[in-house]
Every structure is written in C-alpha cells, then in structure tokens.
Amino acid sequence: MIIKAVIGANYGDEGKGLVTNYFCKQITDNNQTCAVMCTNGGAQRGHTVCLPSGIRHVFHHFGSGTFSKADTIFSKDFIINPMQFAKEYKELTTLGFEPNAYYMCLDNFITTPFEMILNQIIEEHRGKDKHGSTGMGIWETLLRQYNGIKFNLRYILYEKKTNLYRRLLLIRDKYILQRLKENGIETIPDTWKDIIYSDNLIHNFFSDISFLLEHTKIVPSEQFIHYDAIIFENGQGLLLDHDIDPIHSTPSNTGARNINFIKNKDIVNSLNITDIELCYVTRTYLTRHGAGPFPEESSTFASDYKLFDKTNIYNPFQEHIRYGMLNNSKLIDRIVKDFNSIDYENSFSKLSLAITHTNEYDKITNDSCLNIFNNVYTSDNEYDLKKFNLNK
C-alpha cells in the first residue's frame, strides 16, 4: 500500500486540492484503487481542483481526488455537516461525478444548522475583533459536544426521530441563548429570528440527515487494506494549528500528527505499506484568508504581481484574501519541525514539497534550501504538477 499525506505549510489556501488530485490521478491511471482520508476540521475547508476540460470545483466535504475516481473516507476527527454534504454531493453529480463516501467510526461530531447560525451571529458581533471564522460552525460544534449536548453519528443512527427533534429544540431554545449571553449578546438579533424559528429549518435538516445516511457507509479500518493507496488530505495549514494560535486558527492540529497510520510499525507492516510520503504544500508567496496575525502582509503584493484568487473571494466573515512575501528559511523550519514532531517507527518516510502558483511569482523555485526534500513538485497552471526527484 502507498500512503501519501498532503499538508498545508502556511495559512491554508496553498493548493492542497491540486496536489491531492495529482496523487490520486497517478494511482488510478495505473489501474489501482485509491481513497482520500479527510483528516481534520470539516466543511470549512475549500480545496480547489481544476481539470483541463474546464471543470472546476471547490471541495468542502469530499476528498479532492473525487474527479480521479478516489473514494472519500472521513476520519474520526472530521466533523460532518449533513447540509453541506447533501449540497456538495448534488453539485458533484451535476458535474458528472458520483462520489463514494465512508466513515471510519460512529463518533464523528455532527454540525447542526444552529451551530452555523451561532458562529455567524457571534462573529458579526465581534466587529473589528472578529476571529476570521468561515461561519461553518466548527468551533461551536466542538463546544456544544464538550458542554454535554451530544449530537454525533452514533446518536442520529440509533436514537428515535422524536428524541433527535427534542435535542434540536434544546439547542435552539436554550443552548443558543446561553452561548449568546456568554458572548455578551442578550437576545437573538431580529435579522436571525425568522430563520432560527422557521419550521422548515429542522424539517430540512432531517432531510439532509436522511440523505447523508443514504449516501454513506460505515466501514472498519481493516477495510483500508483493500485500497492500493490512501491519500491523507489535511485541512488548513501549519500556521493555523490550534496550538500556535487558539484564537485566529482552526480548532485542530493541521500537521503530521493527524497521519496516524505512519506512527506505528505494526500497522505499517500489517497493511504492507511500502511507500510513505509527506508532501507539504506552499504557494510561492503567502496568503491568509481571515483575521489574525500576518507579519509578512503586504498591501501592494497582489497588485504588484497582478494576483487574483478565484476561490477565496470576499465574504463578510473572512473579507478579502491577504497577501505577503514568503520567507523560505521559516518555511523550511516549520516543515522540518512538523515532520519530526512524531516518532516514526519506520525508516522509509519521504519528505516532499509541492510549490504552486509558480507562474505568478517564482522566487522560491531556485533556492538551494530545496535540497532537503526527496521530491519537489511545481505547478505553473491550475490542473497539473511537475515532479523533480532530487535523488537525495
């Protein structure tokens, strides 16, 4: 079995979708089976894949190898959003792709519409002090679970619908008000009342749950042995790791610690893993979409190099994407630190770097620091990579 991990090296938006699809296409073009493991976060991810045919999609809830016939597997740490799952599934089938999706376990947390609404009300209330949230309710989902109001995959599978309905009413009628008061908001804003108390909101959510359950399967981890390759697709980037900045970040770890398969020699041997590659992804410059520290930020960088991002367009929560100069030595330092952050019991893990957007700005590609990598991939378009084996 082949294992590859795709990890963002910066603040996200590096090109992880492009790299994931590249690896999947290599495998499936060789008549081998492939699955993408969504390792962390949830539907707040936005990984873009463009095909030479012109088809373009931003993946939120499915692996970015879907266009290359790769299955999607949700790790136990991936947060499921039934609304976004149904929406994206229908979008993909409209494009001519019908994805296969599986769960590793029954403990995945489930986002309800009320966490998304809470997220957006609280972020609006913060004004200039906003955290840079996407409005998908990721942190609010985790917090509700930690506060004892459970709503996970196991619960929706085995509880009666009447109990699910009562739980949703508890969240709506009590928990929302509690969370708002904790954030200095005494009452639900008038602009949100009709949405929150609409009869259709819970009704539609039940429809999305049914759709989710009809289009996914629960599989044990042992079934992974039937794949020739698994691509671990991390969300966000190393500089958005929760341990670095718990305020303006994602509430998860974003690096190598999510790649559980490669930590244990017994698992590696039992699955007959022969090739492990951790591929870190960066643009040739830095971007950050959302609030938070960005010491490298340059207000003229985008205009100087005529940059325009089709995926990260303006939205009221993250506003405009921000640009800055990449520091090569800091990039290498955080990649090496993350690569060494877990104790590998095997000796054949490879360290690689994928560099995207080289057509816009190419300073990094000639740097001698790249010699530490086994492989370097570069991209000068939206749908392909070129590989350079450094024969280390």
Side-chain angles (χ1 to χ4, degrees), residues 161-228:
K161 187 174 180 178
T162 52
N163 290 338
L164 296 181
Y165 186 74
R166 290 193 192 99
R167 181 64 53 91
L168 290 171
L169 290 182
L170 171 65
I171 297 170
R172 186 191 72 179
D173 297 337
K174 293 185 178 181
Y175 184 72
I176 282 182
L177 294 175
Q178 172 190 325
R179 280 291 296 140
L180 291 179
K181 289 181 179 179
E182 289 172 357
N183 284 271
I185 306 170
E186 292 301 319
T187 185
I188 295 172
D190 291 339
T191 53
W192 285 100
K193 285 181 179 178
D194 287 344
I195 297 172
I196 291 174
Y197 295 110
S198 167
D199 292 336
N200 288 330
L201 187 63
I202 292 179
H203 173 76
N204 292 338
F205 183 56
F206 275 122
S207 296
D208 291 332
I209 287 175
S210 296
F211 188 93
L212 171 74
L213 298 179
E214 289 169 4
H215 293 85
T216 54
K217 296 179 182 177
I218 310 296
V219 295
S221 59
E222 292 79 9
Q223 185 161 328
F224 298 153
I225 197 170
H226 300 298
Y227 289 103
D228 296 307

Side-chain angles (χ1 to χ4, degrees), residues 154-358:
R154 188 185 306 276
Y155 188 77
I156 67 173
L157 275 170
Y158 296 117
E159 280 291 339
K160 294 179 180 179
K161 187 174 180 178
T162 52
N163 290 338
L164 296 181
Y165 186 74
R166 290 193 192 99
R167 181 64 53 91
L168 290 171
L169 290 182
L170 171 65
I171 297 170
R172 186 191 72 179
D173 297 337
K174 293 185 178 181
Y175 184 72
I176 282 182
L177 294 175
Q178 172 190 325
R179 280 291 296 140
L180 291 179
K181 289 181 179 179
E182 289 172 357
N183 284 271
I185 306 170
E186 292 301 319
T187 185
I188 295 172
D190 291 339
T191 53
W192 285 100
K193 285 181 179 178
D194 287 344
I195 297 172
I196 291 174
Y197 295 110
S198 167
D199 292 336
N200 288 330
L201 187 63
I202 292 179
H203 173 76
N204 292 338
F205 183 56
F206 275 122
S207 296
D208 291 332
I209 287 175
S210 296
F211 188 93
L212 171 74
L213 298 179
E214 289 169 4
H215 293 85
T216 54
K217 296 179 182 177
I218 310 296
V219 295
S221 59
E222 292 79 9
Q223 185 161 328
F224 298 153
I225 197 170
H226 300 298
Y227 289 103
D228 296 307
I230 295 180
I231 313 300
F232 290 82
E233 183 179 5
N234 275 22
Q236 296 79 52
L238 296 180
L239 290 172
L240 291 179
D241 191 287
H242 185 66
D243 290 345
I244 292 179
D245 180 359
I247 302 298
H248 304 97
S249 65
T250 186
S252 67
N253 296 122
T254 58
R257 279 178 286 180
N258 291 320
I259 320 301
N260 296 318
F261 278 19
I262 59 178
K263 298 178 185 179
N264 189 293
K265 187 175 182 179
D266 292 336
I267 294 177
V268 170
N269 291 336
S270 66
L271 292 177
N272 193 28
I273 298 174
T274 57
D275 182 5
I276 300 175
E277 179 176 356
L278 271 66
C279 183
Y280 293 82
V281 189
T282 182
R283 297 192 190 200
T284 50
Y285 51 90
L286 284 177
T287 62
R288 179 161 192 165
H289 199 200
F294 191 12
E296 303 88 353
E297 185 171 12
S298 166
S299 60
T300 64
F301 195 88
S303 58
D304 289 345
Y305 295 98
K306 298 179 174 60
L307 306 179
F308 175 74
D309 194 294
K310 296 179 183 178
T311 298
N312 297 286
I313 59 176
Y314 175 89
N315 67 68
F317 301 104
Q318 295 182 298
E319 299 184 348
H320 293 286
I321 190 170
R322 302 150 68 190
Y323 295 87
M325 187 75 72
L326 180 69
N327 183 307
N328 288 2
S329 62
K330 290 183 178 179
L331 169 73
I332 302 305
D333 286 347
R334 62 177 169 266
I335 288 175
V336 172
K337 181 180 178 180
D338 186 70
F339 185 76
N340 293 330
S341 65
I342 56 177
D343 295 324
Y344 299 96
E345 293 188 19
N346 60 77
S347 59
F348 51 90
S349 295
K350 292 185 295 188
L351 176 62
S352 298
L353 180 69
I355 308 170
T356 64
H357 296 260
T358 60

Side-chain angles (χ1 to χ4, degrees), residues 33-45:
T33 58
C34 181
V36 173
M37 178 84 74
C38 296
T39 57
N40 69 309
Q44 89 274 37
R45 60 171 59 198

